[in-house]
């Protein structure tokens, strides 16, 4: 995965996916995200945007994406809290049950799945995913939540194996950030020849 100017881009042999936070809040009055300060440690990268932190962690199941909101973003209108992301690249989001499939030529390449949400007291919050006008929306019922809250989906390969990857690649064992660009290391890829993805 690459991170540049607020967009996460993931390459896969079947396609390219870009996700960019467009807004969050309630109803049609979504708040535009504040400019981000970028921080990285180990396999975690964070975009801190005022009261909202967007974060990514590379792990065995895939690329975990999350959002932590320190405070309620405005006045609720009776509907769920929404986080809206623009999708770029050559994959199209399609809602299938409780997850989103990212498809190219009717073939599922990646999944956006595993949505969980909870508040600072550890209470689980009801959440669901939606696709609207080519955008991904995460919808979370936060009416009785105690802030801060965390919203946590996954981007994963349809089959959890890379076409050229092996367990010993050590992908994500290092992350480096320069400005708005992050580089993720795979030091044991290609027979210990040290790769950067």
């Amino acid at each position: 995965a690459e991170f540049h100017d607020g967009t996460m881009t993931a390459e896969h042999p079947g396609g390219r996916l870009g996700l960019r936070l467009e807004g969050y809040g309630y109803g049609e009055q979504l708040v535009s995200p504040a400019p981000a300060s970028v921080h990285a440690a180990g396999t975690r990268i964070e975009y801190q945007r005022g009261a909202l932190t967007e974060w990514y962690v590379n792990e065995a199941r895939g690329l975990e994406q999350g959002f932590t909101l320190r405070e309620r973003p405005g006045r609720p209108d009776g509907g769920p809290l929404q986080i809206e992301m623009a999708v770029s690249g050559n994959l199209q989001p399609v809602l299938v049950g409780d997850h989103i499939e990212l498809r190219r030529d009717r073939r599922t390449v990646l999944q956006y799945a595993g949505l969980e949400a909870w508040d600072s007291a550890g209470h689980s919050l009801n959440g669901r995913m939606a696709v609207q006008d080519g955008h991904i929306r995460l919808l979370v019922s936060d009416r009785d939540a105690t802030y801060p809250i965390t919203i946590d989906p996954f981007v994963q390969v349809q089959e959890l194996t890379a076409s050229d990857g092996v367990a010993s690649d050590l992908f994500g064992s290092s992350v480096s950030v320069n400005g708005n660009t992050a580089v993720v290391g795979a030091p044991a890829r290609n027979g210990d020849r040290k790769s950067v993805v």
Side-chain angles (χ1 to χ4, degrees):
E2 292 180 10
F3 301 88
H4 184 68
D5 291 334
T7 300
M8 182 283 298
T9 305
E11 291 281 348
H12 183 273
R16 179 181 175 97
L17 170 68
L19 289 177
R20 181 180 185 84
L21 177 64
E22 289 285 301
Y24 60 99
Y26 303 98
E28 298 303 316
Q29 302 301 316
L30 300 183
V31 176
S32 295
S37 62
V38 182
H39 305 275
T43 61
R44 182 179 176 103
I45 186 167
E46 294 183 351
Y47 286 98
Q48 294 180 350
R49 304 173 183 274
L52 180 139
T53 300
E54 176 183 5
W55 48 270
Y56 296 86
V57 178
N58 185 48
E59 61 173 62
R61 291 190 296 166
L63 183 65
E64 181 180 8
Q65 177 191 38
F67 300 90
T68 302
L69 285 88
R70 288 196 312 267
E71 57 194 40
R72 199 175 300 276
R75 187 173 175 180
D77 65 355
L81 169 68
Q82 299 181 50
I83 294 179
E84 181 176 4
M85 289 167 290
V87 177
S88 59
N90 58 6
L91 301 179
Q92 298 298 312
V94 177
L95 183 65
V96 179
D98 65 351
H99 67 278
I100 294 172
E101 294 183 356
L102 296 148
R103 298 178 178 173
R104 182 174 181 194
D105 300 327
R106 298 184 186 171
R107 182 177 154 263
T108 300
V109 176
L110 299 170
Q111 285 189 6
Y112 192 74
L115 177 63
E116 295 181 13
W118 60 91
D119 71 4
S120 64
H123 297 118
S124 181
L125 305 175
N126 289 330
R128 64 184 176 89
M129 296 182 176
V131 174
Q132 183 176 348
D133 300 324
H135 287 70
I136 291 175
R137 285 194 173 192
L138 305 178
L139 308 165
V140 176
S141 178
D142 71 335
R143 182 174 42 179
D144 298 323
T146 303
Y147 275 74
I149 68 169
T150 301
I151 301 167
D152 188 6
F154 269 89
V155 177
Q156 61 189 33
V157 177
Q158 174 68 13
E159 296 178 21
L160 296 177
T161 56
S163 62
D164 65 346
V166 296
S168 60
D169 280 351
L170 301 177
F171 178 78
S173 62
S174 62
V175 176
S176 179
V177 177
N178 182 2
N180 289 326
T181 301
V183 178
V184 180
R189 185 174 180 207
N190 297 327
D192 284 334
R193 291 189 308 207
K194 311 291 186 243
S195 293
V196 176
V197 183

